Amino acid sequence: MSLTGFVLLVLYQTFYTWPNRERLILEPLAKSGQDPYNVLFSHILFGVCFTGHAMIQGRVLEKSGAMAVGVVNSLRAAAVS
């Protein structure tokens, strides 16, 4: 299921977002005064952190089972709120 979502997202970005990038991305960035490279760096950093988190969670699930993942998610939710 996650592969399907990934493929659909890539198709959407390739055929809709990229051809309309001026109107959808660059103009709003220029109006807000944000540097496009700063935003790109932030997105890349988020992607790396999210991927690392997913890989670690997968390892925990693989080695300790679903109960361990549930406990870790509960602890994370309690720490954040």
Side-chain angles (χ1 to χ4, degrees):
M1 188 60 143
S2 62
L3 181 60
T4 303
F6 174 75
V7 169
L8 291 174
L9 181 63
V10 168
L11 288 173
Y12 178 78
Q13 289 180 355
T14 302
F15 294 110
Y16 180 74
T17 304
W18 186 251
N20 297 303
R21 69 187 172 278
E22 193 71 37
R23 178 177 54 88
L24 296 173
I25 301 168
L26 299 177
E27 287 177 12
L29 279 176
K31 286 179 185 176
S32 70
Q34 294 291 325
D35 179 23
Y37 293 107
N38 190 19
V39 173
L40 180 63
F41 173 75
S42 299
H43 280 78
I44 290 171
L45 180 63
F46 176 78
V48 168
C49 291
F50 184 81
T51 302
H53 168 73
M55 289 174 62
I56 290 169
Q57 192 165 356
R59 291 266 174 126
V60 170
L61 179 63
E62 190 177 88
K63 295 202 180 288
S64 302
M67 181 64 77
V69 173
V71 170
V72 169
N73 284 335
S74 298
L75 291 172
R76 183 182 67 219
V80 171
S81 57

